[in-house]
Amino acid sequence: MKRTIITSILAIVIGMAAAEAQPYFRHGHGSGPRRPQHETYYRGDNGYHSSFLPYKGFLELGYAAGIGDNRADRLDILTTHGLQVSSNTFVGIGGGLSVSFNNDEYDRHDDYYDYHTTGVSIPLYVDFRFGNVVPSRSSFVQPFFDMKIGAQFRVSDDTLVVGRGYYDGTNSFYMSPSVGIRIPTGGKSAVNLAATYNLTTHRIADWSGNSYYCDEVKGLSSFGVRLSFEW
């Protein structure tokens, strides 16, 4: 009798454990055939898993060399936060710190102004990223396209010299498209490496002799690379 009771209890326990384990194995866990590790965090058999939290964050470091007559190199430290709205679309907002450098020689035509070759700005932007963040079974590295659009605000008091003139004003349009590759590192995290183009528009004050005048709005362009970590 005692053996029958123990056997019945064991059968009930094993049956309950098997029932609880079915969703676990069905979504790619356990000892059966496994999906790629990253996929289990993004989607189940019927689209996104109910436990998936679509939040995603990025921390980015980039450097770009300026081109054109009015140019300045820039070092960017950016952070972006938003939602993974589908398996291949991310939308977020972000900001950071941008330090501009201009190593060109220049003349101080008016001692009243304090001209410098380094300036600090804060870019604020909306970010759109497109690329399949769920790795396929045949490919580990995933390409992506990223577009940041917003405004840039100069916060340093120094007057930044750029090529043939200097900034006149503190605000500018900001756009930064990137094309790169995403390398998953486990779970939802990944490392991204991209080629980047930066565009800001400024009213440049040019000088001629001992006088200067405000020219039309001009674009300052730079090309560089950007390394980022996502989680």
Side-chain angles (χ1 to χ4, degrees):
M1 181 69 177
K2 182 182 297 185
R3 181 179 298 176
T4 302
I5 295 174
I6 294 175
T7 302
S8 300
I9 293 174
L10 289 175
I12 293 173
V13 171
I14 294 173
M16 293 176 63
E20 290 293 328
Q22 284 181 1
Y24 183 79
F25 284 91
R26 185 168 58 246
H27 288 288
H29 302 276
S31 59
R34 293 177 59 86
R35 294 176 178 167
Q37 180 182 5
H38 316 290
E39 188 174 357
T40 62
Y41 287 83
Y42 284 89
R43 62 181 181 184
D45 294 324
N46 299 312
Y48 276 71
H49 194 278
S50 60
S51 63
F52 170 66
L53 181 63
Y55 164 79
K56 182 175 285 293
F58 293 85
L59 181 61
E60 305 178 65
L61 175 65
Y63 191 89
I67 60 174
D69 292 335
N70 298 299
R71 61 184 177 272
D73 297 353
R74 57 184 293 151
L75 172 67
D76 291 315
I77 302 175
L78 308 173
T79 181
T80 307
H81 305 270
L83 300 177
Q84 190 72 42
V85 297
S86 72
S87 63
N88 59 4
T89 304
F90 166 84
V91 179
I93 58 175
L97 193 67
S98 177
V99 182
S100 298
F101 307 93
N102 182 359
N103 295 321
D104 293 340
E105 295 182 359
Y106 67 95
D107 297 322
R108 295 185 178 182
H109 294 288
D110 191 337
D111 292 334
Y112 178 78
Y113 291 96
D114 190 14
Y115 298 123
H116 291 268
T117 57
T118 302
V120 180
S121 301
I122 295 178
L124 300 176
Y125 54 83
V126 178
D127 191 5
F128 302 93
R129 178 173 291 224
F130 306 96
N132 191 357
V133 299
V134 180
S136 66
R137 297 180 185 273
S138 60
S139 176
F140 180 69
V141 174
Q142 306 137 28
F144 70 87
F145 171 75
D146 183 273
M147 173 64 78
K148 295 176 171 62
I149 301 177
Q152 181 170 289
F153 305 91
R154 188 161 58 90
V155 296
S156 60
D157 293 332
D158 302 335
T159 300
L160 176 65
V161 175
V162 284
R164 299 179 179 179
Y166 55 90
Y167 285 169
D168 181 59
T170 58
N171 306 333
S172 66
F173 171 76
Y174 170 74
M175 181 178 71
S176 180
S178 301
V179 177
I181 57 173
R182 178 182 186 269
I183 305 174
T185 57
K188 292 171 59 178
S189 64
V191 174
N192 301 270
L193 180 63
T196 302
Y197 169 72
N198 301 294
L199 172 66
T200 55
T201 58
H202 301 266
R203 186 171 296 279
I204 304 298
D206 294 333
W207 48 66
S208 175
N210 292 324
S211 63
Y212 70 92
Y213 63 94
C214 290
D215 203 352
E216 70 274 9
V217 173
K218 295 182 178 180
L220 273 68
S221 298
S222 60
F223 286 97
V225 295
R226 187 172 289 162
L227 177 67
S228 64
F229 176 75
E230 67 174 86
W231 64 91

